[in-house]
Amino acid sequence: MHHFHYIRKRLFCEAVAVESLVQKHGTPLYVYSQRTLTEHFQRLDRAFAPLDHQICFAVKSNGNLCVLRALANLGSGFDIVSGGELRRVLAAGADPRRCVFAGVGKTGAEIEFALRRGVCYFNVESVPELERLNRIAARLNKVAPVAVRVNPNVEAFTHAKITTGTYANKFGIAFEQVEAVYDLAAKMKNLRLRGLQMHIGSQLTRVSPFAKAVRKVLPLARRLAEKYELEFFNIGGGLGIVYQPALASGPENWWKTPAAKDILTPERYGADLAPLLEPLGLKILLEPGRFIVGNAGILVTRVEYVKRTGKKTFVIVDAAMNDLIRPAFYDAYHEIIPLTRKNGAALKTDVVGGVCESGDYFCKNRPLPKVVEGDYLALMSAGAYGFVMASNYNARPLAAEVLVNGNQSAVARQRQPVEAIWSGEKLAPWLK
Ligand SMILES: *Cc1c(COP(=O)(O)O)cnc(C)c1O
């Protein structure tokens, strides 16, 4: 569900013609729909209304200050994974007491900063981290609020690079060891045990793995909650979105096509989990990223060249893997549509960027309407893990970002001036 649609053949974001934004701001251009992310937030919030709960938006999926402020205004908290993200959230005017600090590699400086700013609690991923946290808190004469991240070891049925809840990956503490870790942490004087956390993976398109993980962790959560007077159970994020309206099927894709009653919607997610969670009596935290912003953003790009070789048609565009790396990194699918709707037969096309890597493509052999130089294309569902993963590879400046709200639009981030790419560099004295 989103608010990008054609009106008389022209693509609109809410009430704004996307082409008018391109004329003003150029390409490549990220365009976000505030109404879409607002509705997603509210839908999930409503689905958990029967429980005492708090949504903590995963900043790593989209950290733009406009996005963060819009969500903070709706009452969202934030899931942060670095000191930089905490500073970002503060810059957006959000309340640090609604921030939970996760990540396997928190540095001493990051921990100290978060303690001074008073985050809600730390999601701890290892025993050495607990010890470091305790040491730093003692030095600052503070008590660090913590939750331990339990790895429930369940299969999430998603891409290998975004599954996190099995023992094959680096996240969390093994289910069997968690209780002993709480007993250990309870002896550390400058820690306060406040909750338990889990997160099993990203882009999950079915409810059953979430329900399975919750069922598995529930008895442990109940024991720990009683023993240590915990306040929170954080069930993580990972709710998937629809990238490909017409899903590929076939035996190799069986995991992408769950049974109808298992297809993830926020309503079903809430309806299946709430009855399990309610008896626990804890405040439930959620850490969705992609679900809130994924379908709320598009990346608009201009066709530079149409190159026909023997059997193939390459459409070379001015966005590239440095702007949106998901296809190269995760084999991700993004729907590609023209800003001006076209009639006529579809042509098997590779849409590629200009970066010198064969991995720099947005799609391969996909039937697309015929386009010519100067046309604009939209890469749909690029709101999550899009701009945040952008880089300056090939000395390409970071794209601009625009926020749309009804018939208003505003630059959410200006296009990076090219000189800014090397502004931190200096010639060594002996080279001068
Ligand atoms: C990445 C991440 C999230 C958000 O994942 P989405 O799939 O975007 O919802 C939430 N919690 C943790 C711990 C994460 O690492």
Side-chain angles (χ1 to χ4, degrees), residues 76-389:
S76 186
F78 298 96
D79 166 40
I80 55 173
V81 293
S82 71
E85 284 192 356
L86 178 52
R87 282 171 205 269
R88 237 182 202 296
V89 166
L90 293 170
D95 184 350
R97 288 168 304 182
R98 285 194 175 173
C99 289
V100 300
F101 190 177
V104 295
K106 303 176 191 81
T107 66
E110 288 177 319
I111 289 173
E112 180 166 343
F113 179 60
L115 271 173
R116 288 188 190 279
R117 283 318 181 94
V119 294
C120 176
Y121 72 85
F122 295 81
N123 282 322
V124 175
E125 309 227 17
S126 67
V127 171
E129 186 190 335
L130 277 177
E131 289 164 347
R132 178 182 283 187
L133 201 52
N134 186 49
R135 233 171 18 244
I136 296 173
R139 173 160 59 73
L140 300 177
N141 209 7
K142 285 183 181 289
V143 174
V146 301
V148 169
R149 174 167 177 179
V150 51
N151 183 335
N153 197 27
V154 298
E155 179 55 60
F157 300 104
T158 185
H159 190 276
K161 280 191 184 152
I162 49 178
T163 183
T164 61
T166 74
Y167 291 165
N169 55 63
K170 68 182 177 185
F171 297 103
I173 288 175
F175 181 78
E176 295 78 11
Q177 295 166 5
V178 167
E179 199 153 359
V181 170
Y182 272 81
D183 295 341
L184 186 74
K187 296 195 187 95
M188 299 187 193
K189 286 206 176 61
N190 290 76
L191 299 185
R192 180 166 146 234
L193 293 168
R194 290 196 75 182
L196 178 68
Q197 194 256 4
M198 66 176 194
H199 172 75
I200 57 173
S202 197
Q203 183 52 17
L204 272 69
T205 52
R206 30 170 103 185
V207 188
S208 49
F210 287 110
K212 194 172 165 193
V214 166
R215 274 204 193 87
K216 179 163 180 188
V217 172
L218 220 45
L220 172 71
R222 203 174 296 124
R223 269 201 312 281
L224 291 171
E226 241 166 62
K227 202 161 162 190
Y228 295 114
E229 296 179 9
L230 302 186
E231 302 153 74
F232 306 116
F233 182 28
N234 182 335
I235 59 173
L239 291 84
I241 61 168
V242 176
Y243 281 100
Q244 197 170 353
L247 258 186
S249 56
E252 71 285 7
N253 286 321
W254 64 271
W255 56 274
K256 287 185 188 164
T257 49
K261 69 172 182 15
D262 198 13
I263 292 174
L264 191 138
T265 64
E267 292 75 21
R268 205 170 280 135
Y269 179 72
D272 283 11
L273 297 190
L276 299 174
L277 295 169
E278 209 200 331
L280 202 53
L282 298 181
K283 181 164 187 164
I284 302 303
L285 302 190
L286 302 123
E287 302 175 335
R290 189 191 315 268
F291 174 76
I292 307 281
V293 284
N295 286 334
I298 62 173
L299 173 60
V300 187
T301 186
R302 181 180 189 274
V303 174
E304 293 293 337
Y305 299 99
V306 178
K307 173 172 168 177
R308 290 197 178 81
T309 62
K311 282 183 192 140
K312 294 196 66 126
T313 300
F314 293 98
V315 168
I316 303 168
V317 295
D318 71 351
M321 65 187 291
N322 73 296
D323 300 298
L324 178 66
I325 204 172
R326 298 188 67 260
F329 194 23
Y330 308 113
D331 313 312
Y333 183 102
H334 286 273
E335 201 185 352
I336 300 176
I337 62 174
L339 289 202
T340 305
R341 188 185 245 163
K342 307 243 177 189
N343 297 323
L347 204 66
K348 277 203 172 169
T349 307
D350 286 21
V351 177
V352 303
V355 162
C356 304
E357 296 282 347
S358 355
D360 180 28
Y361 61 86
F362 293 123
C363 70
K364 282 189 171 169
N365 294 322
R366 191 183 302 175
L368 289 179
K370 193 174 167 191
V371 294
V372 298
E373 184 182 324
D375 281 349
Y376 293 102
L377 297 174
L379 292 142
M380 305 304 286
S381 308
Y385 308 102
F387 184 88
V388 281
M389 286 190 173

Side-chain angles (χ1 to χ4, degrees), residues 42-112:
Q42 290 172 337
R43 241 179 108 185
L44 186 59
D45 207 34
R46 265 198 306 276
F48 277 78
L51 298 177
D52 182 16
H53 72 282
Q54 171 72 54
I55 295 176
C56 295
F57 173 68
V59 175
K60 76 171 195 276
S61 65
N62 187 323
N64 185 279
L65 295 189
C66 284
V67 168
L68 300 183
R69 173 64 78 98
L71 289 168
N73 289 349
L74 294 168
S76 186
F78 298 96
D79 166 40
I80 55 173
V81 293
S82 71
E85 284 192 356
L86 178 52
R87 282 171 205 269
R88 237 182 202 296
V89 166
L90 293 170
D95 184 350
R97 288 168 304 182
R98 285 194 175 173
C99 289
V100 300
F101 190 177
V104 295
K106 303 176 191 81
T107 66
E110 288 177 319
I111 289 173
E112 180 166 343

